[in-house]
Amino acid sequence: MSTKHIPAIKYVPTICPYCGCGCGIYLVVKDAKILGIEPWEAHPINEGKVCIKGNRAHEFIDKEDRLKKPLLKERGEFREARWDEAIKIIAEKFKSYSPDEIGVLSSAKCTNEENYLMQKFARAVLKTPNVDHCARLCHASTVVGLSQTFGAGAMTNSIPDIEDSECIFIIGSNTFEQHPLIARRVMLSKAKGAKLIVADPRYTPTAKQADLHLPFYSGTDIALMNSMMQVILKKGLENKEFIESRTKDFDKLKQEVMKEEYSLVNVSRITGVAGEDIEKAAVWMAESKATTLLYSMGITQHTVGTENVMTTANLQMLTGNVGRAGTGINALRGQNNVQGACDVGALAATYPGYKRVTDKAAIKKLEEVWGTDIASGKVGLTITEMMDMLEGKMEGHLKALYIMGENPMLSDPDLKEVEGGLRKLDFLVVQDIFMTETAELANVVLPASCWAEKDGTFTNTSRRVQRVRKAVEPPGEAREDWRIICQIAGAMGYGKQFSYESAGDIFDEITKVTPQYGGMNYERLEAVEGLQWPCPTADHPGTKWLYSEKFSTDDGLGHFKPAEHKPPAEAPDSEYPLILTTGRLYFHWHTGTMTRRSKTLDSEVKAACVEINGEDAKELGIKNGQLVNVSTRRGKIKVMAKVTPDIKKGEIFMPFHFKEAAANLLTNNVLDPVAKIPEFKACAAKIAKG
Ligand code: SF4
């Protein structure tokens, strides 16, 4: 009897590449191909459950249009090139620019190891301080706002301990669609009796699960929360012991929030929410034994994003809801590794471990470990500033950009201006897995590997560092991003500083310069399937929640930082009477590069739409499904109207995944002055029949 050779099936444990939940999944591999995804029952975050995106995360990997060879643009057309040819051109061009003339964009989709190398490449090889990534566009205000109040810009608690909350306040987050495996914990908590309050201008799937929905106007977060704090103080429900022993500047907070401006009557007018509902929410939060606050980009993407974040911190400190299970400020990070990219220094103002770029001791340490002098002592340009400089809105001489895994041609505000700016570059290198809208503009395109084709780590939204494992080889001549960076560095004379054998070698170097990761290594991460930072020593078990005893500020106290309500930079007026807010859909992800190439996800939602309230639609004579023109002062797009009661009258909503109806053609490139995050969440708009 002949024996048949049956190829073995491998189950490779790894982490989902989409949202910041960081769910564990198995990639099912046969004949060097990924067949599908299997749930990982024992994974501590998702316990065997996945959402639709995680379940279909493999579908884009084998797409025909994956980049497989380096491409060089000549006379406006791309031609295929050899790797050595492309690397040589890049190295020569990069050497020709002064540090101020070049910038680097790293990527929240890539691993910690790759982000670490990208910022090292910028600072140690190009000697430029200009390195940033898309956290600037989603949670830069979290990093700044929480650093000023608590001393560190990260989610304070863990995903599983949401189940220990008695009251959950979600503001500016459609958790049920965007962080479904966090939403699961919310539902488990509700099943145990917790009350759920959701503040959102839209009646989202998250709001539909709420015991109390506060449908406030976009951009009135501070007014709403200051009013809640006034209620708490008037009723004497503040946690006096916590305030006395753990915080400072309570008097300043009290002075601000007790102003008449934040009375229930006034704030009801500002926010459009009934006064009794604001009062009820405040009392529920203050009377619960453990209240957690979850927020996302609805809070951060405003000109007052940093102050919004600080106000969430004020609210939780006022009621003593920090430093215990089921409490805290939980900033839900959007992308799979936006937390890690920040941790390892892919930010204009901080080195690995959030050391300020002006910190002399940190510079000395990096120069020792890296064995070279570095761009030092100067805060670099943020993404938004790089674009402003290219668009001529800011003085400077940026001439070249090296972009890894980012697509500013869809993700940045006011896209016409972005395109104009990128076209002015003398030299643009884009390293990605598909020909994105940004790659189309590049001089050199380098084919990279996706998450299933490389080893490394991602850090989820709750500071949990987890192993990502290579399951298959990249297609064609595509290479792992970290290897590409090392090759360019080598061609520029820094081979010694970039001589790594594996992703694990890079991780070991990260732990030397990132104190929060100091006690981690791959062996430990694999043994317990992830460790939450801070984990400073080899015997430290990691940290489930921060600030049990003291905050990370210099004096160990939580700092109240009162903020006043200020309207969005562009308020509705007679010409543009509606407020446009933007966001994501359940089935898609960011610029759609991956999800729109997934057969299943694409078949669920193929096109953009604009959500408009039934009353507004009736006044404008617009019917459900009709084509309409949505305009702002920056542009106009044609899109299908979705008439729905699920959005507040006066507001409209558009997803930003669709290049053919790119919402960011309309958004306002006006920045939070501290965090430099754009105001994606509110601008004045109008709609007319198409
Ligand atoms: Fe992936 Fe997020 Fe879905 Fe988990 S919840 S499977 S991490 S997209």
Side-chain angles (χ1 to χ4, degrees):
M1 206 167 100
S2 68
T3 50
K4 277 191 190 151
H5 173 69
I6 302 170
I9 289 185
K10 266 196 313 183
Y11 292 82
V12 181
T14 193
I15 301 300
C16 173
Y18 287 119
C19 86
C21 289
C23 296
I25 51 177
Y26 283 104
L27 292 173
V28 184
V29 183
K30 189 180 166 194
D31 284 341
K33 290 257 173 259
I34 297 175
L35 301 182
I37 304 279
E38 279 286 325
W40 183 343
E41 292 294 336
H43 195 273
I45 297 299
N46 54 312
E47 298 175 329
K49 317 288 186 291
V50 286
C51 75
I52 186 76
K53 284 197 283 284
N55 191 258
R56 300 280 123 192
H58 61 293
E59 286 188 346
F60 69 86
I61 294 173
D62 281 339
K63 290 309 268 191
E64 254 316 289
D65 61 340
R66 279 288 301 274
L67 292 169
K68 299 184 187 85
K69 275 181 169 275
L71 301 172
L72 295 181
K73 197 177 271 168
E74 285 174 355
R75 289 178 290 282
E77 299 287 328
F78 283 117
R79 71 158 174 90
E80 290 184 353
R82 295 189 319 275
W83 269 104
D84 59 344
E85 190 185 5
I87 297 286
K88 187 164 176 266
I89 289 172
I90 293 169
E92 276 168 13
K93 283 294 276 182
F94 280 177
K95 276 193 221 165
S96 72
Y97 300 108
S98 69
D100 285 346
E101 291 175 337
I102 192 161
V104 165
L105 299 188
S106 203
S107 172
K109 290 200 277 293
C110 290
T111 61
N112 288 323
E113 293 73 3
E114 289 159 344
N115 278 285
Y116 173 78
L117 278 201
M118 199 59 167
Q119 60 83 39
K120 177 176 172 181
F121 178 79
R123 291 167 168 145
V125 178
L126 301 174
K127 313 287 183 197
T128 181
N130 303 331
V131 53
D132 209 30
H133 78 285
C134 68
R136 186 68 50 202
L137 306 176
C138 59
H139 274 283
S141 33
T142 293
V143 174
V144 179
L146 291 185
S147 295
Q148 291 192 16
T149 45
F150 292 173
M155 178 164 163
T156 59
N157 284 52
S158 302
I159 293 170
D161 86 27
I162 293 170
E163 275 189 58
D164 295 326
S165 307
E166 286 189 359
C167 179
I168 300 161
F169 180 41
I170 301 181
I171 181 165
S173 161
N174 182 5
T175 317
F176 281 65
E177 291 199 286
Q178 301 313 329
H179 293 88
L181 269 295
I182 290 179
R184 173 177 170 256
R185 301 289 179 169
V186 172
M187 291 310 284
L188 290 171
S189 181
K190 252 179 80 82
K192 292 183 198 163
K195 289 193 171 84
L196 174 61
I197 307 161
V198 175
D200 199 306
R202 298 167 65 214
Y203 192 42
T204 59
T206 309
K208 285 175 186 166
Q209 296 300 329
D211 298 291
L212 179 60
H213 176 212
L214 308 176
F216 69 130
Y217 289 117
S218 294
T220 61
D221 311 68
I222 292 172
L224 179 72
M225 287 186 280
N226 277 358
S227 183
M228 289 166 73
M229 286 189 266
Q230 188 180 101
V231 169
I232 289 166
L233 286 168
K234 279 186 173 165
K235 290 182 180 291
L237 294 174
E238 73 273 24
N239 187 328
K240 296 178 184 68
E241 195 194 325
F242 187 90
I243 293 166
E244 179 64 31
S245 61
R246 300 284 314 269
T247 69
K248 76 174 212 184
D249 293 334
F250 172 61
D251 288 345
K252 288 185 191 160
L253 178 86
K254 199 169 167 185
Q255 209 177 358
E256 180 62 36
V257 303
M258 292 309 286
K259 286 178 182 167
E260 177 56 21
E261 190 186 346
Y262 303 114
S263 68
L264 288 174
V265 173
N266 266 342
V267 171
S268 179
R269 185 180 45 75
I270 296 168
T271 59
V273 178
E276 70 244 41
D277 285 344
I278 299 173
E279 183 173 23
K280 194 190 278 181
V283 172
W284 282 5
M285 285 186 76
E287 287 187 339
S288 133
K289 289 199 183 76
T291 295
T292 186
L293 189 153
L294 313 183
Y295 76 75
S296 193
M297 296 190 298
I299 279 285
T300 58
Q301 290 180 329
H302 288 281
T303 43
V304 292
T306 301
E307 289 173 305
N308 277 351
V309 169
M310 294 192 304
T311 305
T312 64
N314 293 338
L315 182 54
Q316 285 296 73
M317 286 193 288
L318 184 67
T319 53
N321 276 300
V322 187
R324 293 178 283 123
T327 67
I329 294 288
N330 296 300
L332 308 184
R333 299 302 194 106
Q335 296 209 60
N336 53 321
N337 197 33
V338 72
Q339 180 67 54
C342 294
D343 296 346
V344 300
L347 290 171
T350 50
Y351 293 134
Y354 300 98
K355 304 275 183 208
R356 300 291 303 169
V357 292
T358 46
D359 178 341
K360 289 202 168 60
I363 294 167
K364 190 163 172 268
K365 170 91 181 174
L366 286 179
E367 290 187 335
E368 268 168 31
V369 174
W370 292 352
T372 182
D373 60 318
I374 62 170
S376 56
K378 185 172 146 188
V379 175
L381 295 170
T382 62
I383 291 185
T384 41
E385 287 170 334
M386 290 184 214
M387 294 303 156
D388 278 356
M389 195 174 275
L390 291 172
E391 291 158 20
K393 295 178 190 155
M394 187 177 164
E395 273 191 36
H397 309 284
L398 198 61
K399 290 183 181 166
L401 273 182
Y402 177 18
I403 300 180
M404 171 175 78
E406 294 240 334
N407 190 9
M409 276 293 295
L410 268 192
S411 60
D412 287 26
D414 199 352
L415 290 180
K416 248 193 246 159
E417 294 275 334
V418 172
E419 179 173 356
L422 289 175
R423 284 188 187 281
K424 279 189 208 145
L425 279 169
D426 176 48
F427 190 59
L428 173 61
V429 178
V430 173
Q431 183 169 308
D432 214 314
I433 58 172
F434 291 107
M435 180 58 79
T436 63
E437 292 70 24
T438 305
E440 297 275 4
L441 303 180
N443 300 87
V444 186
V445 177
L446 300 174
S449 51
C450 79
W451 106 109
E453 298 156 355
K454 58 193 169 190
D455 278 303
T457 52
F458 291 158
T459 304
N460 87 346
T461 186
S462 65
R463 299 168 280 105
R464 187 179 189 87
V465 185
Q466 309 189 98
R467 275 285 275 120
V468 174
R469 296 170 177 95
K470 181 170 179 169
V472 290
E473 291 298 327
E477 295 179 20
R479 292 178 180 174
E480 288 124 308
D481 294 80
W482 69 266
R483 289 192 197 274
I484 304 173
I485 300 166
C486 291
Q487 277 180 291
I488 302 174
M492 293 182 72
Y494 288 84
K496 196 166 137 238
Q497 288 86 351
F498 285 76
S499 59
Y500 306 99
E501 293 289 317
S502 66
D505 287 353
I506 307 169
F507 190 81
D508 289 344
E509 187 175 304
I510 293 174
T511 63
K512 286 188 194 144
V513 294
T514 312
Q516 296 88 335
Y517 288 43
M520 298 181 192
N521 55 45
Y522 276 13
E523 214 182 339
R524 280 197 79 194
L525 294 179
E526 284 165 12
V528 292
E529 291 313 339
L531 286 162
Q532 281 172 282
W533 66 256
C535 173
T537 55
D539 57 355
H540 193 287
T543 306
K544 282 189 179 169
W545 57 83
L546 303 173
Y547 318 131
S548 305
E549 278 151 27
K550 59 182 182 127
F551 287 91
S552 297
T553 49
D554 291 345
D555 55 13
L557 297 173
H559 295 190
F560 282 111
K561 295 275 179 189
E564 3 173 310
H565 163 66
K566 292 178 220 82
E570 201 179 60
D573 55 23
S574 55
E575 197 184 353
Y576 293 96
L578 302 167
I579 302 171
L580 168 68
T581 189
T582 62
R584 297 186 295 239
L585 301 175
Y586 175 58
F587 294 102
H588 285 290
W589 193 243
H590 290 270
T591 63
T593 312
M594 300 190 295
T595 52
R596 295 194 77 193
R597 284 179 173 85
S598 154
K599 197 167 145 243
T600 311
L601 299 174
D602 186 57
S603 68
E604 291 286 350
V605 180
K606 284 187 168 299
C609 65
V610 57
E611 289 185 9
I612 180 168
N613 176 278
E615 285 181 48
D616 287 327
K618 196 169 169 198
E619 278 169 25
L620 293 163
I622 289 168
K623 300 216 162 23
N624 191 36
Q626 183 176 8
L627 272 183
V628 293
N629 287 316
V630 183
S631 323
T632 67
R633 291 188 171 85
R634 289 148 297 278
K636 177 161 89 172
I637 55 181
K638 205 177 267 287
V639 65
M640 195 182 72
K642 179 177 172 189
V643 179
T644 169
D646 292 348
I647 187 161
K648 196 172 175 67
K649 183 172 160 38
E651 298 245 349
I652 55 175
F653 168 82
M654 281 196 68
F656 53 69
H657 314 293
F658 300 90
K659 64 180 173 188
E660 61 281 11
N664 282 327
L665 279 167
L666 306 176
T667 47
N668 194 6
N669 185 18
V670 56
L671 306 181
D672 173 308
V674 193
K676 315 281 185 194
I677 191 170
E679 190 151 65
F680 287 109
K681 289 295 179 198
C683 69
K686 65 181 173 190
I687 292 196
K689 286 193 242 179

